[in-house]
Amino acid sequence: MARKRLVELGDLVAKEGLIAHGRGEAFDYLLGEATCPPALEAIKAAAQTIREAKAPVISVNGNVVALAAEEIADLSKMSDAKVEINLFHRTSERVSGLFEIMKGVGIEALGEEVDDTIPGLSSERAKCCSEGIGSADVVIVPLEDGDRCQALVDMGKTVITIDLNPLSRTSQTAHITIVDELTRCLPLLIDAVRGGVDVDGFNNKENLKEVLGFISDRIKN
Amino acid sequence: MARKRLVELGDLVAKEGLIAHGRGEAFDYLLGEATCPPALEAIKAAAQTIREAKAPVISVNGNVVALAAEEIADLSKMSDAKVEINLFHRTSERVSGLFEIMKGVGIEALGEEVDDTIPGLSSERAKCCSEGIGSADVVIVPLEDGDRCQALVDMGKTVITIDLNPLSRTSQTAHITIVDELTRCLPLLIDAVRGGVDVDGFNNKENLKEVLGFISDRIKN
């Protein structure tokens, strides 16, 4: 169903986004298409960080909107986080199309008008909104490219990502990486934001190692 | 470069083909983007089977032509194997476009005119050529879908596949599965067909287990 949805949205999802989705699918097979124990820990840590944020922003691209517009809307409402459309392959047609989909689930997303830049990225990729990512303290960037993730970290943002590949540069660069499938993970994250459980010390590098151990054991057994 | 080539070919590569390519990329990362020892054994077994074949056919789709038209041409010439274009998402435009690319590397591919069917597949997907797949004893089907692979096995063909996912239904169904990246593996396969080394007993299930062990150890270490 996810695959069909991505294909059906046509040019709103970049072709490179389809290839990236395939990489995720492969890791999800290896995870057994279930939320692994280390991901549950990362979800708790992410929820705490989101609760404590002053100006959280959810950065979404074509894949995220195609797969999880409703869940993103729910997370936005639960956490008072703004949603900003932020594209690697930015065109005004794609931004407008994604804006309309988010509008359909009750979210007035930022990103149509951009007045700020993310330092360290080239031209179109650097564009962002001053009232969104520009002034955010915490940025939630699911399915993000490694350069963008690094640039947000370099800006001093606290970066939370959701990425099925525990070895990707995004996973390795973010402060909190949830290695899980987007639509499976978001309801758990929303529950955790609502629930308010605190985490005592979260180490992203250690968590990613646990995920790799989990995958390795599954393959062996 | 492979990703760029797939995107550039536009509609000749199905969108589902882009997602499938992404799955392959993920497994190639886990393999360390190198031909693993069990794959070298599978290449030898495949070469022997191709040498002993009476009517070998290489079945190609959009991804295969996009990534490895020249290497397929080389394998075809070295092994006297016909090339047949065989598409999961078949349209006459796609067949013609792929036919032209193969013509550009000196191969007159079958598949534009189809007069035979692969039993067990639905409508468009079942179409094939009687002088190609229809009468082949050995079919080499890189990057193949699981249903098609199963149908060819059910027809009594000896099936060789090249697939980066050792757990895919295609990998598990074929008689010989080379778990390796297509353009890295084909020159090795061509050399092995030329070289003529014989293999003493090849067990595909055991070989796939060795690949899984190799991946699992790499992740752990």
Side-chain angles (χ1 to χ4, degrees), chain A residues 3 7 10-11 15-16 18-19 21-23 25-27 29-30 165 167 212-213 215-217 219-220, chain B residues 3 6-7 10-11 15-16 18-19 21-23 25-27 29-30 165 167 212-213 215-217 219-220:
Chain A
R3 216 177 277 168
V7 169
D11 289 340
K15 287 191 163 188
E16 292 80 359
L18 296 177
I19 298 176
H21 179 76
R23 288 195 295 276
E25 281 187 358
F27 281 100
Y29 292 162
L30 297 177
N165 177 357
L167 296 163
L212 287 169
I215 291 175
S216 173
D217 288 346
I219 295 175
K220 201 145 251 165
Chain B
R3 215 177 280 168
L6 286 165
V7 169
D11 289 340
K15 286 190 163 189
E16 292 80 358
L18 296 177
I19 297 176
H21 179 76
R23 289 195 294 276
E25 281 186 357
F27 281 101
Y29 292 161
L30 297 178
N165 177 358
L167 296 163
L212 288 170
I215 291 175
S216 172
D217 288 345
I219 294 174
K220 202 144 248 166

Side-chain angles (χ1 to χ4, degrees), chain B residues 4 15 21 29 43 59-60 66 87 90 134 196 199 211 214:
Chain B
K4 199 162 164 250
K15 286 190 163 189
H21 179 76
Y29 292 161
I43 287 169
S59 170
V60 299
L87 304 181
R90 185 185 177 91
V199 177
V211 174
F214 180 85

Side-chain angles (χ1 to χ4, degrees), chain B:
Chain B
M1 281 168 65
R3 215 177 280 168
K4 199 162 164 250
R5 173 88 178 140
L6 286 165
V7 169
E8 280 172 356
L9 277 193
D11 289 340
L12 292 185
V13 175
K15 286 190 163 189
E16 292 80 358
L18 296 177
I19 297 176
H21 179 76
R23 289 195 294 276
E25 281 186 357
F27 281 101
D28 206 18
Y29 292 161
L30 297 178
L31 286 164
E33 296 181 320
T35 304
C36 66
L40 289 171
E41 288 309 304
I43 287 169
K44 285 185 207 163
Q48 184 176 359
T49 300
I50 292 168
R51 275 198 314 274
E52 292 170 358
K54 289 191 175 60
V57 169
I58 308 169
S59 170
V60 299
N61 60 24
N63 284 38
V64 172
V65 172
L67 295 173
E70 289 199 26
E71 292 88 344
I72 291 292
D74 290 345
L75 177 62
S76 167
K77 287 163 196 167
M78 174 58 60
S79 58
D80 278 325
K82 291 175 186 165
V83 176
E84 180 168 337
I85 297 165
N86 210 309
L87 304 181
F88 193 85
H89 300 277
R90 185 185 177 91
T91 66
S92 56
E93 291 77 18
R94 293 189 63 225
V95 175
S96 311
L98 298 172
F99 181 85
E100 288 304 318
I101 295 176
M102 289 313 298
K103 209 169 173 185
V105 295
I107 294 292
E108 199 79 20
L110 301 168
E112 283 202 301
E113 319 251 312
V114 283
D115 62 349
D116 206 350
T117 54
I118 303 171
L121 296 177
S122 60
S123 61
E124 289 299 301
R125 286 173 191 171
K127 292 183 176 171
C128 72
C129 297
S130 57
E131 55 166 328
I133 288 174
S135 54
D137 57 346
V138 172
V139 185
I140 303 134
V141 283
L143 317 183
E144 187 52 275
D145 142 78
D147 284 340
R148 183 85 59 98
C149 186
Q150 181 69 60
L152 291 169
V153 168
D154 291 346
M155 279 178 93
K157 313 292 184 191
T158 298
V159 177
I160 297 167
T161 193
I162 301 167
D163 191 322
L164 277 158
N165 177 358
L167 296 163
S168 76
R169 210 148 52 82
T170 299
S171 288
Q172 299 285 333
T173 307
H175 296 101
I176 300 174
T177 303
I178 304 169
V179 181
D180 198 11
E181 196 277 327
L182 185 64
T183 61
R184 196 166 58 222
C185 146
L186 283 174
L188 300 175
L189 180 58
I190 293 161
D191 275 355
V193 172
R194 184 188 293 116
V197 184
D198 280 355
V199 177
D200 199 19
F202 176 81
N203 182 319
N204 206 46
K205 293 274 176 224
E206 283 305 315
N207 191 273
L208 290 170
K209 264 188 208 165
E210 285 171 36
V211 174
L212 288 170
F214 180 85
I215 291 175
S216 172
D217 288 345
R218 276 203 85 243
I219 294 174
K220 202 144 248 166
N221 302 329

Side-chain angles (χ1 to χ4, degrees), chain A residues 59 61 86 141-146 148-149 152 161-163 170:
Chain A
S59 169
N61 59 26
N86 209 309
V141 282
L143 317 184
E144 186 53 274
D145 143 76
R148 184 84 59 98
C149 186
L152 292 169
T161 193
I162 301 166
D163 190 321
T170 299

Side-chain angles (χ1 to χ4, degrees), chain A residues 5-52:
Chain A
R5 173 86 179 141
L6 285 166
V7 169
E8 280 172 355
L9 276 193
D11 289 340
L12 292 186
V13 175
K15 287 191 163 188
E16 292 80 359
L18 296 177
I19 298 176
H21 179 76
R23 288 195 295 276
E25 281 187 358
F27 281 100
D28 206 18
Y29 292 162
L30 297 177
L31 285 165
E33 296 180 322
T35 304
C36 66
L40 290 171
E41 288 308 303
I43 287 169
K44 284 186 207 162
Q48 184 177 359
T49 300
I50 292 168
R51 277 198 313 274
E52 292 170 358

